[in-house]
Amino acid sequence: MSSPSLMLKAPFDGIVVLLADVPDPAFAEGILGEGIALDPLGDTLHAPCDGEVVQCARAKHAVTLRTDMGIEVLLHLGLDTVNLDGQGIELLVEVGSRVESGAPLCRFDADRLARGATALITPLIVTDGAGWQVRPLTALASGSRVRCGEPLLRLEAAEAAPSATTDATGSAQERALTLALGGGLHARPAARLRAIAQRHEVTLTVVAEENEADSASLSALMNLGLAHGSSLTLMARGAHAELALDEAEALLTTPEAEEHGQEAPSESLPTAGEGQLPGLVASPGLALGPLVPYRAALPEVPVDGEGDAVERLRLRQALVRVGESLQASMHRAERDGQAAEAEIFAAHQAWLEDPDLQAAAGVRLAAGRSAGHAWREALDAEADRLLATGNALLMGRVADLRDLQCRVMAELADPQGKPGLDLPAGAIVIAEDLTPSELVTIASRQPAGLCLAAGGTTSHVAILARARGIPCLVAMGERVLRMASSDRAVLDAEQGLLEPTPDAERLAAVEANIRDNARRAAEEREAAQAPATTVDGRDVEVGANVGSAAEARLAAEQGADGIGLMRSEFLFLERRSAPDEEDQRCEYQAAVEALGGKPVIIRTLDIGADKQLPYLMLPQVPNPALGVRGVRLWQRHPDLLDSQLRALLRVEPLETLRIMVPMVSDASELHWVRGRMQSLAKEQGLTILPRLGAMIEVPSAALCAASLAEEADFLSIGTNDLTQYVLAMDREDPHLAARADVLHPGVLHLIQATVTGAAGKCPVGVCGAAAGDPLAALVLVALGVDELSVEPARIPAIKAAIRRLDARTLADELPALLRLADAMAVREHLAAWQQASQDTTTTNLERMPS
Ligand code: PEP
Ligand code: MG
């Protein structure tokens, strides 16, 4: 006699997703129970079997049926749909309704759900199937298509097995608390509550007002309808009741990961609408393209193999070699007492031996891939799976996986080949953070834009992005790394928003805007070689910030009136030792020649804090930003800086070269450098000396600008560091990036003090990022600076903005601006002023006779 069984049927037309592949650990790890999932192709959820509706979620996204045999089946429409609070879902049943298999349970607006939820994948879970075995139908593979009503899962009566005993003796212990979960007591936390009770072998009951639910029944828990802020009492009975209550309380009173600060590092990011992700504008612009995650370059391996057997052998040998080297590293770490490091190697070893990973590679080998490529694809798939879970712990393991991917591929790579970068042109690239050299590599693929989880607007990556005119948002938080891939996303690096799934109307508007911007940029480029003169007749020099002679050539083409800042440290980065004097001279000479007689300011080495050189080995200090950096380095490494100065003094003609000293605190430091320059010049038999200037980055330098201007031939305000030091906000800290704003009245006061102090003594420029910020640049001109130095790509736009500016009118606003309380108020005041001046211009134009 065959044992009793039940068939669960597909609740809509859809694509099969195995439970282990559902990007939510509560489902993928079976915490809620066994089952299967479907990605819907329809818009109505139907009953998978006959039964009674025993639970309808408050947010309408989940329904549980109980069959006559007592089996409970949960249908969970989409992932994280609880956050939609019922929007886009119409329930067609209520608790107590009896339904037949195939009866409609709810209707949903798939577009609406897709915009607000993590995914539409709908798990069908046997949440209470004690005594039943769940058997997926073998014919159903992941990715296969099923029609509504087709069989999906078979449940068979299991042999009676001793059930886990619960120690329900002893008096009940209670704990009153307030629910902190944003989505209320929905399926995932309910399942975790049940797991806690099982682990500690207690009975755990949730009591809310008149109602109570045993944690053994998910539907009963969810039926309590508890929302964020609900009061409830937990009651536990059993030997470990206290422990269970501790864990349960922690679960219910801790906001879920999505609500933690980890998502939005900055308090003052732009307000994002539905489906948008905010960030700080590090490089302005508008972009449209596919969202592509960045991965460090992988060793180059052939795609196609030379036969299954050959490639299998190669892969096996590579795995053995990597395994041996991991073993050796692990023993070394253990011997040196580095337990944490040893553990990491042990974890890598475990991945390496993982039969599932090896099987996944085997499938690809059978399909004709080379050993290296099969390994690459297998680990890519695993990494994607982990990333899609949204679980911080699992996502954290992706870095290990990548490491291992790279190690094994390196064993199989062509030793002559270069590492490849898998990035299509025109992509909006997503990354945690980038090193300057990674950015340069990515830039060679002509990305449409960049979105970084970390970073600040004055970080060096931001500087490089601006230099290349690549729209870039930073400080977006970890969430950007979990963005579902999208073929056409919009990066609005004007408003500070990423829109992964814009609708057709928005796409058309953005395309039109990009066309308009391109037309305007072309006009601005046409006029870029001409001087920038304000409406009221002030000439403002617009120079360029560059990192190399090659960039200086680019800057000249973009219309630079000179080089306002050549960051010489870029020559010293990414090398094993410092460039020698001749190498440096060649680079400086080339930069001077690129500008054909226009002034070129080269800054002496600015190392320390965020810019380190491996071969300098500066000691670790608690506060490197306040330590030995910039000009202070001269005392510790006189050879290095003397050799740079010698190289600079060999540039011809010295009349166009200007030397600038970073991180100056007062005139005595500049005086010392001038003395050094004079003695080296004397050794070289020079009679003409280049002009020597100081950067104003330290508040004391701004406050002592008058005495500094006596010693200096020019001053240049480094607003990036000045802002950092005035506001005591680390420029690299993404949590502070939105508040470390140059338009803070405190910073503006110091810029004004610099201009006033230097008046009549020497010119003042600005070479920090503020010079290229369309709003801040206008304020700087109104404050009276003589020169702005910006990334080359910004020159045409900044010149155009200066030509539209009536600096005197804006200068009239300065006293009011400087009295305001914070940067936000300054930005608002400026925006209102700009609007009012535009309105006046329009009215005047309308009045003009045609
Ligand atoms: C500055 O601090 O504003 C500056 C231009 O220097 P850097 O960004 O290289 O520190
Ligand atoms: Mg600086």
Side-chain angles (χ1 to χ4, degrees):
M1 199 181 89
S2 65
S3 52
S5 66
L6 171 74
M7 193 66 84
L8 297 181
K9 307 207 176 117
F12 37 49
D13 290 356
I15 307 293
V16 173
V17 179
L18 297 183
L19 210 54
D21 296 333
V22 172
D24 182 328
F27 294 110
E29 292 166 13
I31 297 171
L32 286 145
E34 290 183 84
I36 198 159
L38 284 187
D39 212 349
L41 298 171
D43 63 3
T44 306
L45 184 76
H46 298 87
C49 56
D50 297 348
E52 181 186 341
V53 177
V54 291
Q55 178 263 338
C56 292
R58 194 178 38 82
K60 304 183 196 167
H61 65 295
V63 174
T64 305
L65 302 184
R66 187 184 297 135
T67 71
D68 290 345
M69 292 179 278
I71 300 167
E72 287 193 5
V73 181
L74 165 75
L75 291 120
H76 196 281
L77 184 59
L79 302 178
D80 286 326
T81 26
V82 63
N83 300 329
L84 292 173
D85 224 8
Q87 294 170 56
I89 307 173
E90 185 196 352
L91 264 182
L92 305 171
V93 291
E94 54 188 23
V95 172
S97 307
R98 274 212 65 86
V99 291
E100 287 186 359
S101 178
L105 300 175
C106 73
R107 255 193 296 275
F108 54 92
D109 175 346
D111 276 355
R112 175 72 190 76
L113 262 55
R115 273 183 275 129
T118 308
L120 285 182
I121 295 173
T122 296
L124 186 150
I125 306 285
V126 181
T127 51
D128 191 348
W132 294 85
Q133 274 184 345
V134 179
R135 300 202 186 284
L137 300 185
T138 44
L140 287 182
S142 187
S144 51
R145 190 185 164 138
V146 290
R147 296 208 161 278
C148 183
E150 269 182 44
L152 263 190
L153 284 182
R154 184 182 172 84
L155 273 76
E156 285 173 5
E159 300 277 303
S163 58
T165 52
T166 296
D167 174 6
T169 55
S171 61
Q173 302 206 31
E174 291 187 14
R175 193 94 36 107
L177 53 92
T178 304
L179 194 63
L181 307 173
L185 187 53
H186 60 100
R188 202 178 317 152
R192 298 220 158 103
L193 214 51
R194 181 173 71 175
I196 290 171
Q198 284 169 346
R199 197 164 49 249
H200 294 291
E201 296 175 359
V202 299
T203 57
L204 185 63
T205 312
V206 178
V207 184
E209 296 181 351
E210 308 286 277
N211 305 316
E212 65 173 63
D214 187 330
S215 65
S217 166
L218 294 189
S219 56
L221 285 176
M222 291 189 280
N223 263 345
L224 290 173
L226 296 179
H228 174 257
S230 299
S231 300
L232 59 97
T233 303
L234 288 172
M235 288 174 51
R237 200 187 286 273
H240 306 298
E242 190 73 30
L243 271 179
L245 282 179
D246 286 347
E247 276 185 37
E249 181 177 6
L251 170 75
L252 300 182
T253 56
T254 310
E256 287 172 286
E258 288 288 306
E259 299 158 41
H260 285 300
Q262 59 163 313
E263 289 311 329
S266 294
E267 297 106 77
S268 0
L269 290 172
T271 315
E274 198 183 294
Q276 300 177 329
L277 203 59
L280 295 177
V281 177
S283 174
L286 201 55
L288 206 156
L291 276 186
V292 180
Y294 166 73
R295 301 208 194 112
L298 286 171
E300 202 166 85
V301 291
V303 175
D304 298 324
E306 293 171 25
D308 193 4
V310 177
E311 297 297 333
R312 258 174 219 277
L313 181 65
R314 283 183 182 154
L315 182 58
R316 212 167 28 244
Q317 288 168 340
L319 293 178
V320 168
R321 283 196 297 276
V322 173
E324 284 167 355
S325 112
L326 282 172
Q327 282 281 344
S329 308
M330 193 168 73
H331 291 321
R332 234 185 346 263
E334 277 167 354
R335 190 196 56 207
D336 298 343
Q338 291 168 332
E341 227 174 282
E343 254 175 45
I344 293 171
F345 290 128
H348 283 199
Q349 180 86 35
W351 277 110
L352 199 66
E353 289 162 6
D354 187 315
D356 287 349
L357 277 186
Q358 294 192 9
V363 171
R364 285 150 173 108
L365 289 174
R369 294 281 188 258
S370 76
H373 221 271
W375 184 251
R376 176 191 173 146
E377 286 181 4
L379 271 75
D380 273 351
E382 181 64 7
D384 287 348
R385 192 181 75 76
L386 293 181
L387 283 175
T389 62
N391 176 313
L393 212 68
L394 294 179
M395 289 167 66
R397 294 169 74 181
V398 169
D400 291 315
L401 213 55
R402 295 271 177 236
D403 204 359
L404 211 55
Q405 184 180 42
C406 203
R407 283 182 92 133
V408 175
M409 284 175 70
E411 288 289 333
L412 295 159
D414 168 6
Q416 310 300 327
K418 289 208 195 70
L421 176 63
D422 195 3
L423 208 58
I428 296 175
V429 181
I430 300 177
E432 163 74 41
D433 204 355
L434 296 172
T435 62
S437 54
E438 282 175 324
L439 186 129
V440 172
T441 315
I442 290 176
S444 69
R445 300 296 159 100
Q446 290 160 339
L450 286 174
C451 292
L452 303 186
T457 52
T458 59
S459 68
H460 287 99
V461 168
I463 290 167
L464 292 173
R466 278 195 297 274
R468 287 160 176 75
I470 305 171
C472 172
L473 294 186
V474 294
M476 301 188 76
E478 295 286 312
R479 185 188 276 197
V480 73
L481 304 175
R482 304 203 295 270
M483 227 66 261
S485 60
S486 154
D487 288 346
R488 268 165 99 61
V490 167
L491 172 60
D492 185 347
E494 302 291 344
Q495 306 301 323
L497 295 171
L498 173 66
E499 302 164 39
T501 47
D503 59 24
E505 201 183 329
R506 173 72 178 140
L507 275 176
V510 170
E511 273 166 358
N513 262 340
I514 289 177
R515 273 197 304 275
D516 285 351
N517 288 351
R519 199 176 315 121
R520 199 183 44 240
E523 285 163 15
E524 290 172 354
R525 271 199 304 275
E526 287 265 298
Q529 298 293 343
T533 308
T534 61
V535 172
D536 52 318
R538 259 186 58 204
D539 287 334
V540 180
E541 262 179 48
V542 180
N545 290 353
V546 298
S548 63
E551 277 182 22
R553 280 189 279 276
L554 191 78
E557 284 164 21
Q558 303 268 6
D561 298 328
I563 298 297
L565 167 64
M566 177 162 172
R567 289 183 166 95
S568 68
E569 56 276 5
F570 279 108
L571 282 179
F572 290 70
L573 296 171
E574 313 286 337
R575 326 170 39 122
R576 295 228 172 101
S577 58
D580 65 18
E581 194 181 307
E582 178 55 15
D583 280 356
Q584 289 188 55
R585 188 200 64 79
C586 287
E587 190 74 11
Y588 304 147
Q589 182 67 44
V592 165
E593 281 168 14
L595 268 291
K598 292 176 181 162
V600 173
I601 301 178
I602 300 184
R603 177 172 75 182
T604 55
L605 200 50
D606 183 19
I607 290 297
D610 56 314
K611 295 170 239 168
Q612 294 288 343
L613 298 180
Y615 46 90
L616 270 200
M617 294 205 285
L618 292 176
Q620 298 257 336
V621 289
N623 228 330
L626 304 179
V628 177
R629 55 169 302 196
V631 66
R632 305 169 192 173
L633 213 63
W634 223 299
Q635 313 292 341
R636 187 165 289 169
H637 292 282
D639 295 349
L640 189 69
L641 284 139
D642 278 0
S643 125
Q644 182 174 38
L645 210 45
R646 276 194 206 94
L648 284 165
L649 290 172
R650 287 172 56 208
V651 168
E652 289 175 347
L654 280 174
E655 286 83 348
T656 51
L657 176 70
R658 285 157 203 202
I659 296 177
M660 181 158 73
V661 187
M663 289 298 294
V664 171
S665 311
D666 52 45
S668 66
E669 283 174 333
L670 195 66
H671 183 74
W672 186 87
V673 175
R674 191 180 287 285
R676 205 64 219 122
M677 182 168 81
Q678 283 164 344
S679 41
L680 294 179
K682 203 163 155 200
E683 281 172 21
Q684 287 176 223
L686 296 173
T687 48
I688 296 174
L689 286 185
R691 289 185 209 178
L692 183 69
M695 287 198 74
I696 304 289
E697 297 169 287
V698 181
S700 65
L703 293 166
C704 300
S707 57
L708 204 46
E710 301 281 353
E711 182 66 49
D713 298 317
F714 62 93
L715 298 179
S716 182
I717 307 175
T719 46
N720 306 338
D721 275 314
L722 186 63
T723 308
Q724 146 163 281
Y725 292 122
V726 173
L727 299 178
M729 290 184 186
D730 188 340
R731 64 191 267 188
E732 297 286 319
D733 186 339
H735 294 88
L736 296 172
R739 291 171 54 200
D741 190 336
V742 66
L743 288 179
H744 191 289
V747 186
L748 295 181
H749 271 292
L750 285 190
I751 296 173
Q752 189 180 48
T754 308
V755 175
T756 315
K761 299 188 176 104
C762 74
V764 177
V766 175
C767 60
D773 170 335
L775 209 53
L778 304 184
V779 179
L780 293 169
V781 173
L783 278 164
V785 305
D786 305 290
E787 182 233 14
L788 297 176
S789 187
V790 303
E791 278 76 25
R794 305 280 309 137
I795 294 171
I798 291 294
K799 281 194 169 182
I802 292 172
R803 292 188 191 114
R804 289 192 295 268
L805 172 70
D806 183 342
R808 227 174 357 213
T809 324
L810 181 53
D812 291 343
E813 299 292 317
L814 289 175
L817 281 181
L818 287 162
R819 277 198 301 273
L820 291 171
D822 54 32
M824 183 76 89
V826 172
R827 285 195 179 270
E828 278 167 13
H829 188 113
L830 282 169
W833 173 82
Q834 255 186 334
Q835 186 60 48
S837 13
Q838 256 165 29
D839 292 349
T840 319
T841 316
T842 318
T843 318
N844 288 345
L845 282 175
E846 281 165 3
R847 281 207 200 107
M848 269 166 61
S850 51

